[in-house]
Amino acid sequence: MSVTAGSTPNSAWIKYWGNRNDALRLPMADSFSMTLDSPTVEITLDHADVLSVRSFNPDGSEKELGAVHIQRFGKTLELVKQYLRTLGVEDALPASALITVRSQIPPAVGLASSSAVFSCLARAIQGLILPAIELTDEQTSVLARLGSGSAARSIFGGFSALLAGESDAIGSAYGRQYADEHHWALYNVILVPSMHEKKVGSTEGHPTAHTSPHYAARVQAIRTRRQRECIDAVLTKDFEKLQHVVEEDCIDMHHVMRTSTPPLDYLTEDTHRITRDITELRRSEHLPVFYTMDAGPTVQLLCTEEARDRVLAFARAQEGCALFEAKTGPGACLIP
Ligand code: DP6
C-alpha cells in the first residue's frame, strides 16, 4: 500500500527562532503563520525494508540527494516512531519506507521548503497508519514538527500557530489553526534577490539564538504580547495592526540573529533597499502591504487584493530579482 500527500510552505509572521530542546525541536516561544497555496510538494510513501528517498525537481529530473538530507528523513522517522510509542502505536509505522518527493519549489527560493516537505511527509504518514490510529491534525502537526519546526504550521490551512508548550515531552509542542483559508484572502509577492543556497540553514541557526543578549527579551515579547496581537489582528482582519506586529517581529528576529555568536546576517543590500522602498510606497500611496524575511535575503510582500496589482508592479520593477506569487492556502492534505 502507498499513500500520497501534498503540501505547501507558510509565511511566518511571528517567527520560530530558538528551541528549549534542539533534538526534539521544542521551541522557546509560540510562532504564527499563513499557509500558502503554492508552490507545492507531493510525497508518496511506500513500505520498504530499508530507508530510501528519491527526489524530483520541478522539471521532473531526479535530484541527487546528499547524505545529510537522507539522514534527516531517517532521523525524522525515528522521532516519529518515538512519538507514536507514547500513543501506544509504535508498530503502526513500517520498519522503513521508500519516500518519493516531487517538489514544485524552485531550489533556494528562500521559502522554507522544509516546511512543505515535512508537513507533507507527516500527512502521508498519518494516511499510511490510518488502519492503526486516526491521528488528529494536532497530533499530525507533531510528526511534522519532528522533521522541521515550521512544518507543524503547514498541516493546517489558513492561519495557524505552533504552540511551544512547556515540558520536555515529545508531543508538548503542536500546531493549532485559528482561522481557515476562507477567512481572509491575502497575497504574498515573493522577491528573491539571490538564488544562491544560504550559508547557514535554520537547523544550525536555532541553537545560536540563546547566545544573543537580545534573545530573552524577544521570547518575553512574544509570550506576553506579540503572538496575541498577531492572532487578534488576523481574527479581526486588522491589516494595519498585523503590519506593525509582523514587521516588528521580523526586525527583532534579525537583530537577534546578527547579535548571536557567531553572528548570522541573512539580509543583503537588496533586501534593505526593497524593504525601504516598499515602506515609502506604502506611506505615499496608503497601500495595505507589509514585508517579512526568514533565514535568507528573500523578501515576502503580503498584501490585500486591492493592493495586489500595485505590489506586483513594484516587484516587477526590481531588477535581478526572481518573482513568485502565492496566496492563502488549504494546508497539507492526502491525495486520493
Ligand atoms: C526563520 O522550521 O526551518 O523561517 O526545524 O530546523 O527545520 P528546522 O527550522 P525551521 O525554522 C524556521 C525559521 C524561520 C522562521 C519561521 O519559519 O517561523
Side-chain angles (χ1 to χ4, degrees), residues 12 15-17 25 72 114 148-150 153 202-203 206 253 294-295:
K15 314 277 189 189
Y16 154 49
W17 195 247
R25 292 191 160 82
R72 185 164 178 177
S114 65
S148 179
S150 55
R153 302 182 308 239
S202 303
T203 308
H206 286 291
M253 178 186 72
D294 291 332

Side-chain angles (χ1 to χ4, degrees), residues 217-237:
R218 166 172 179 75
V219 170
Q220 178 74 357
I222 294 173
R223 285 183 183 163
T224 57
R225 175 178 61 81
R226 261 187 226 150
Q227 178 80 356
R228 191 66 247 167
E229 280 179 13
C230 186
I231 293 169
D232 286 348
V234 165
L235 294 181
T236 59
K237 302 186 196 175

Side-chain angles (χ1 to χ4, degrees), residues 28 209-210 212-223 256:
M28 283 294 289
H210 300 266
S212 164
H214 304 289
Y215 187 60
R218 166 172 179 75
V219 170
Q220 178 74 357
I222 294 173
R223 285 183 183 163
V256 164

Side-chain angles (χ1 to χ4, degrees), residues 72-90:
R72 185 164 178 177
F73 282 99
K75 183 77 207 159
T76 303
L77 291 183
E78 261 172 44
L79 289 168
V80 164
K81 274 184 172 291
Q82 198 177 316
Y83 175 58
L84 292 178
R85 195 179 311 144
T86 69
L87 304 178
V89 287
E90 188 193 358

Side-chain angles (χ1 to χ4, degrees), residues 155-175:
I155 289 298
F156 307 91
F159 305 85
S160 53
L162 168 56
L163 304 178
E166 279 177 358
S167 77
D168 251 345
I170 190 167
S172 62
Y174 50 85

Side-chain angles (χ1 to χ4, degrees), residues 311-322:
V311 173
L312 273 172
F314 167 86
R316 288 197 186 101
Q318 304 301 314
E319 275 174 33
C321 289

